[in-house]
Amino acid sequence: MRERFPLLAANPGLHYLDSAATSQKPRVVLDAMREYYERDNANPHRGAYALSVRATDCYHEARAKVAKFAGLADADCLVFTRGTTESLNLVASAWGRANVRAGDEIVVTAMDHHANFVPWQQLAREKGALFRIAPITHDGQVDLDALGGMLGARTRIVAFPHVSNALGTVNPVRAIATLVRERCDALVVCDGAQGAPHLPVGFDDLGVDFYAFSGHKMCGPMGIGALLGRRAILERMPPYQMGGDMIEVVGDEETTWNVLPHKFEAGTPNVADAVGLGAAVDFLEGIGMDAVLAHERALVAVADERLRGLDGVTVHGPAAAMRSGVASFTVAGIHPHDLATILDERGVCIRAGHHCAQPLMRRLDVAATARASFYVYNDESDVEALVSGVREAQRIFDGHVARG
Ligand code: 7TS
């Protein structure tokens, strides 16, 4: 598998364990993007010439592939965005501004990434709505009883992650959506940034209204992502940005909007990156998303067992079988940043910090964690390198090994 990723093939000693931040890119994705620019590039939807039609076809084909991958039958309900952050801001701005009133309530969870927290918090402030944070259990799962207790007649939006980026917890999306539907008439927004890369999504069966993800975490390029929505909601929702392509008729006073998905895609679209994301989903489907998840879980189970076997190491979050490919841990007496630096000297790339989830860190009562995240190209040798690096860091900090 490493051979299919040029960066990994060129760096045999590299143990890349930061795929939750961004994944490496397989050659097929890089080739698809280069071929698009070399063969098919033009501004889509505009020209009445064959090359522009080809560019338009490439863009449509990419949308169809990504929609199918995510289990969305109606591909026009997939809006290409810059990524999860833009997708969530789109919903908060366009739907939120039009529908949230003073006294309404917006509910998020304590494990949300800032991208699915701050836009809702600020929307609530702007509108005079109540911003509520559903708590997590001691082992890092959404507390469903507490969440249910927060839902009521004034709840307008419930936002939560499919998978926590900081802990790897896989949330029961359908159960949460059902709970919300039983108790209130709220918009259900799922942040799938860590879902779509790691497990089957099945949007049409999830019961949520919106689902967002980023291409760069799932073998695709940076700068492209998606927002999936239900047609009836997208059709009623006002546009997010104004400009070319998203209009139907522009009068001196009034303008009417283009059909879906164009209404939400103002300006020249990012065709090459969409083509790259299309190639990425082909690549992932070639492996099979069930197999991707099983591979990650197997590695995380080994990592958990080995890390927990070391003195002073705490692995945060639920059991490995309830997580995707993330091991978030702290080592007594060693700051995660120091640990990451020592690991880096041994070719092991991990993330250290608050992982854009400061509210979660406060609830875990830690300032930061070290996070190793696994993907299709990792194997047990990466776990070995991680664990021996942590032991080395412990030896250095215990003073048993002279520095330098
Ligand atoms: N939501 C979740 C759950 C995420 O993990 C991330 C990025 C985002 C939203 C934002 O995605 P973007 O592509 O728009 O930036 N998470 C991480 C991470 O865990 N480390 O670096 C980025």
Side-chain angles (χ1 to χ4, degrees):
M1 186 55 83
R2 283 181 77 98
E3 288 305 309
R4 298 172 73 179
F5 290 76
L7 186 146
L8 298 175
N11 294 280
L14 189 74
H15 299 282
Y16 186 73
L17 295 176
D18 197 19
S19 296
T22 198
S23 72
Q24 295 304 334
K25 320 304 173 197
R27 190 181 311 280
V28 284
V29 167
L30 306 175
D31 287 349
M33 291 165 64
R34 200 192 57 249
E35 279 166 21
Y36 166 76
Y37 275 128
E38 288 179 357
R39 223 176 41 196
D40 302 316
N41 178 57
N43 204 323
H45 307 144
R46 302 227 161 111
Y49 49 91
L51 189 60
S52 172
V53 173
R54 277 220 302 282
T56 309
D57 288 346
C58 288
Y59 193 51
H60 284 330
E61 194 184 310
R63 193 189 310 277
K65 276 185 192 178
V66 180
K68 184 163 164 287
F69 171 83
L72 170 73
D74 186 351
D76 288 343
C77 293
L78 184 152
V79 176
F80 278 125
T81 63
R82 281 196 301 122
T84 310
T85 301
E86 189 177 50
S87 296
L88 295 167
N89 275 277
L90 192 165
V91 180
S93 278
W95 195 93
R97 289 230 170 85
N99 291 287
V100 175
R101 310 262 171 274
D104 284 348
E105 299 185 7
I106 299 175
V107 180
V108 301
T109 76
M111 67 166 74
D112 273 292
H113 185 280
H114 296 162
N116 202 31
F117 192 98
V118 183
W120 306 120
Q121 178 196 58
Q122 295 303 309
L123 173 68
R125 286 176 70 90
E126 183 184 316
K127 294 289 187 175
L130 189 64
F131 181 65
R132 305 188 70 182
I133 304 168
I136 52 167
T137 59
H138 69 281
D139 66 342
Q141 303 189 58
V142 176
D143 184 334
L144 294 181
D145 289 338
L147 171 65
M150 287 182 168
L151 306 174
R154 295 305 306 260
T155 315
R156 292 299 279 146
I157 296 167
V158 179
F160 61 96
H162 191 166
V163 176
S164 155
N165 68 311
L167 297 175
T169 313
V170 178
N171 287 316
V173 178
R174 202 190 316 228
I176 293 175
T178 305
L179 183 68
V180 177
R181 303 288 180 219
E182 281 166 9
R183 310 258 167 127
C184 58
D185 182 24
L187 191 80
V188 181
V189 181
C190 185
D191 170 356
Q194 303 290 347
H198 304 287
L199 41 101
V201 175
F203 176 81
D204 287 337
D205 296 323
L206 279 182
V208 304
D209 295 314
F210 285 107
Y211 190 92
F213 55 88
S214 301
H216 70 92
K217 295 182 196 288
M218 48 192 284
C219 295
M222 290 184 174
I224 189 86
L227 174 68
L228 282 55
R230 292 207 293 119
R231 176 172 280 277
I233 297 172
L234 286 168
E235 279 179 345
R236 280 199 305 272
M237 189 162 93
Y240 172 54
Q241 292 179 335
M242 321 277 166
D245 263 6
M246 54 76 69
I247 54 83
E248 182 190 46
V249 177
V250 179
D252 285 355
E253 305 287 338
E254 298 286 338
T255 294
T256 55
W257 314 131
N258 201 344
V259 294
L260 296 176
H262 312 294
K263 177 171 132 185
F264 294 106
E265 294 184 0
T268 298
N270 185 358
V271 183
D273 288 335
V275 167
L277 180 54
V281 304
D282 283 346
F283 175 82
L284 288 172
E285 278 173 343
I287 301 168
M289 293 311 291
D290 288 322
V292 170
L293 182 62
H295 177 74
E296 291 178 16
R297 281 206 165 135
L299 290 178
V300 155
V302 178
D304 266 34
E305 196 188 318
R306 301 288 314 279
L307 287 169
R308 287 196 164 112
L310 303 177
D311 277 347
V313 176
T314 306
V315 182
H316 301 278
M322 305 189 69
R323 308 208 305 270
S324 67
V326 171
S328 199
F329 60 99
T330 40
V331 183
I334 308 180
H335 192 281
H337 285 136
D338 293 330
L339 182 64
T341 303
I342 292 168
L343 288 170
D344 184 39
E345 286 164 5
R346 303 168 68 94
V348 180
C349 311
I350 63 157
R351 177 88 178 233
H354 54 62
H355 315 295
C356 299
Q358 290 180 5
L360 175 65
M361 296 293 122
R362 282 196 294 279
R363 283 155 181 86
L364 295 175
D365 202 21
V366 293
T369 73
R371 182 189 68 182
S373 52
F374 299 92
Y375 210 20
V376 291
Y377 34 69
N378 294 119
D379 62 21
E380 286 203 24
S381 71
D382 298 312
V383 179
E384 281 310 315
L386 171 70
V387 172
S388 69
V390 172
R391 290 173 57 186
E392 175 69 10
Q394 288 182 314
R395 278 196 289 274
I396 292 169
F397 272 74
D398 282 352
H400 296 317
V401 173
R403 284 176 205 228

